[in-house]
Amino acid sequence: MGLVPRYAEVPTAIPNAVRKSAARNNKIFLTNTITYTIMALKKYDTICFMKNVAIIAPAGNIDEIDGLYEAEKFLFSQNVAAKIFKGCGQKFRYMAGDDNTRLEDLHNAFLDPGIDTIICARGGYGAIRLLDKIDYDIIKNNPKKFIGSSDITALLVSVFKNTGLITYHAKMALNGISKMNEREFLKYKNAIENNIYTMPKFNCSERVWKKGGLYPGDGAVLWGGNLATIVSLFGSPAESYVPNEDIVLFLEDINEPDYKIDRMLTQILRNIYLKNKIKAVIFGEFKGAGEYLNEILKEFVDTLNVPYAFDMNITHGANNTIVPVGLKLV
């Protein structure tokens, strides 16, 4: 099933969260638009029920290990067993153990036949240091649900590209699961088990619509995550992280000033291999950005000449939703 256009003669209704985010700019640039929605999403990999979870820390060190014990306790209350891997308790500079420790935890979590889901403890920094050392055959031959966000974006996109395994941009263990209630966890668990993501409404100008073929669907996959982390990959060969498929790019970040957001989006525009894959953009929250944010985002999508949407629940914050990286749109 494809896309259904809905022509709007008045500005599209904007979610309250978006209005609040843009209030300081006195306006939102969603005017004179054509809006359409995705009608269906394909379940693009095997279903795996969350019963036995590995908690690993492939990036930053953990100062408050008690938070992981809280997550472990909560998972137990939901009939989910959790295994905290050794790197979570180690520190090397600002990372959870040295590269070999973090890599070993990642490999061992995938190799463990008793584990069905891997949830990263937190972001921080360090995931990019593992990319050239990962044995992707281990991951491909032992597929599991892999969950993270922030700095873990580097692993999410690289694992998908090198194995075809859908990964999940979602709340992590330390400040996510440890703070959930039962209702929130059941929604989280169900979305990950069943590859559920509710697409926002997309908007585009008459110019984009008439050109045709620039809407999400027809084989495009959801792809993206933390903007700063994605841009940090640009020194790597494009074939190591950019998918073969066209993409619906989703982006979020936190505490980045406007000029840095501008610079990073410009870097995307100059990365021709990635730029040519982008068929639509979903903007998440850019918490802490300044007064020029909307202007910068508008300039980005205008240059790309693609549809765009907002989902303020793609965020570093407490409401971070689940986005399956690599999920194919139909």
Side-chain angles (χ1 to χ4, degrees):
M1 188 177 294
L3 302 169
V4 179
R6 299 190 302 142
Y7 292 84
E9 298 190 6
V10 296
T12 306
I14 311 301
N16 288 335
V18 180
R19 291 188 182 279
K20 291 177 181 178
S21 175
R24 59 180 173 269
N25 298 321
N26 299 317
K27 64 180 180 179
I28 298 172
F29 59 83
L30 304 183
T31 57
N32 299 321
T33 60
I34 299 168
T35 304
Y36 50 89
T37 57
I38 298 295
M39 300 301 294
L41 294 177
K42 181 180 180 181
K43 294 177 181 178
Y44 197 48
D45 70 347
T46 57
I47 299 301
C48 173
F49 295 102
M50 191 184 297
K51 292 292 185 183
N52 296 281
V53 168
I55 298 176
I56 65 172
N61 67 287
I62 298 164
D63 292 326
E64 298 180 359
I65 195 70
D66 286 347
L68 288 190
Y69 296 145
E70 287 296 319
E72 179 186 36
K73 181 180 177 180
F74 175 78
L75 288 168
F76 182 78
S77 74
Q78 302 301 308
N79 298 313
V80 177
K83 179 179 179 181
I84 299 174
F85 278 60
K86 65 180 181 181
C88 293
Q90 296 190 23
K91 182 176 181 179
F92 174 72
R93 299 176 190 159
Y94 24 74
M95 295 169 284
D98 60 22
D99 290 353
N100 289 335
T101 297
R102 300 191 329 279
L103 181 67
E104 183 180 345
D105 279 359
L106 177 67
H107 284 161
N108 286 342
F110 275 100
L111 285 168
D112 190 331
I115 297 295
D116 52 60
T117 304
I118 301 169
I119 303 176
C120 295
R122 60 163 300 216
Y125 168 75
I128 194 172
R129 293 171 60 104
L130 304 183
L131 298 184
D132 295 332
K133 303 172 183 178
I134 294 172
D135 184 339
Y136 289 102
D137 284 338
I138 289 177
I139 298 174
K140 188 173 183 177
N141 295 329
N142 300 275
K144 305 181 193 300
K145 302 289 187 179
F146 184 74
I147 303 162
S149 57
S150 187
D151 189 66
I152 307 302
T153 294
L155 293 174
L156 299 181
V157 300
S158 297
V159 167
F160 171 66
K161 173 57 192 277
N162 289 282
T163 70
L165 182 69
I166 289 178
T167 56
Y168 300 87
H169 185 277
K171 291 181 181 180
M172 296 180 280
L174 190 59
N175 292 314
I177 289 177
S178 65
K179 300 182 184 303
M180 286 184 188
N181 58 41
E182 181 176 358
R183 181 175 178 275
E184 290 170 334
F185 177 72
L186 290 176
K187 183 178 179 180
Y188 173 91
K189 180 173 179 285
N190 182 56
I192 290 169
E193 288 178 345
N194 296 288
N195 290 337
I196 296 172
Y197 174 65
T198 302
M199 294 289 286
K201 294 179 180 179
F202 281 81
N203 306 270
C204 65
S205 66
E206 293 277 356
R207 174 171 55 92
V208 173
W209 182 265
K210 288 179 179 178
K211 186 174 180 180
L214 292 175
Y215 50 82
D218 295 337
V221 299
L222 288 168
W223 188 92
N226 179 254
L227 173 59
T229 303
I230 287 173
V231 171
S232 75
L233 298 174
F234 285 4
S236 310
E239 58 269 21
S240 70
Y241 66 95
V242 178
N244 298 325
E245 303 87 347
D246 289 334
I247 65 172
V248 175
L249 175 67
F250 69 93
L251 298 169
E252 64 80 31
D253 221 314
I254 187 171
N255 295 334
E256 294 286 2
D258 288 355
Y259 78 90
K260 287 190 177 181
I261 294 172
D262 189 338
R263 179 168 60 197
M264 290 186 285
L265 293 178
T266 301
Q267 286 178 273
I268 290 177
L269 295 175
R270 298 187 72 245
N271 185 328
I272 302 302
Y273 190 78
L274 177 60
K275 175 187 175 183
N276 289 341
K277 296 282 186 180
I278 302 171
K279 301 307 176 187
V281 178
I282 302 174
F283 293 118
E285 184 181 34
F286 288 82
K287 188 174 182 179
E291 62 180 317
Y292 301 113
L293 176 63
N294 276 359
E295 184 178 330
I296 293 165
L297 300 184
K298 180 180 187 300
E299 186 176 65
F300 180 67
V301 292
D302 279 353
T303 303
L304 286 170
N305 199 24
V306 298
Y308 57 92
F310 289 94
D311 185 346
M312 293 297 106
N313 288 323
I314 301 175
T315 172
H316 256 73
N319 295 325
N320 192 19
T321 193
I322 296 92
V323 186
V325 175
L327 186 69
K328 184 177 288 188
L329 309 179
V330 295

